[in-house]
Amino acid sequence: RWSRPAVPDSVRNTAESDLNLQWLDIDMIGGRPLESNPRAGRKVLGSTSGTVPVIRLYGVNETGNSVAVFIHGFTPYGYFALPRGCTFTNDGDDSGAVRHALEEALSAKLGNQFG
């Protein structure tokens, strides 16, 4: 009643074919860096020490199999407009001031709901 189709061999060998999936959910966790790239002979991307971000995608492939994909080597980022009157020279000294200004702006808009 709840059986899934058999996983085709072409899906198991990612060195020979791409994985196409319908993406149903995504999240991010912290994990250990990869010791080696699953694709032999290729460099491990991203940090090699400490906790690293791991993006998890969940979905269904073309043949109806459930799929969980763990993506290493990606660094999450975001772009933010600086608050009025704030400058940033990337010398290390003003990053704390920029963070403080952004936290104040968020707090003014959202209140203290995030602690």
Side-chain angles (χ1 to χ4, degrees), residues 31-92:
R32 293 190 320 242
L34 293 176
E35 292 179 15
S36 63
N37 192 317
R39 296 188 76 178
R42 295 203 178 181
K43 179 183 172 189
V44 173
L45 300 175
S47 180
T48 57
S49 64
T51 300
V52 299
V54 179
I55 298 172
R56 300 185 298 187
L57 290 173
Y58 301 93
V60 179
N61 70 5
E62 296 168 315
T63 57
N65 304 105
S66 295
V67 177
V69 180
F70 291 64
I71 302 169
H72 289 254
F74 176 81
T75 301
Y77 61 92
Y79 292 104
F80 302 91
L82 292 175
R84 271 193 201 118
C86 203
T87 59
F88 189 74
T89 59
N90 201 24
D91 64 8

Side-chain angles (χ1 to χ4, degrees), residues 4-25:
R4 295 290 229 176
V7 177
D9 289 335
S10 62
V11 172
R12 293 180 193 273
N13 190 351
T14 58
E16 293 179 8
S17 63
D18 292 334
L19 173 64
N20 297 309
L21 67 115
Q22 178 184 7
W23 161 22
L24 301 173
D25 198 10

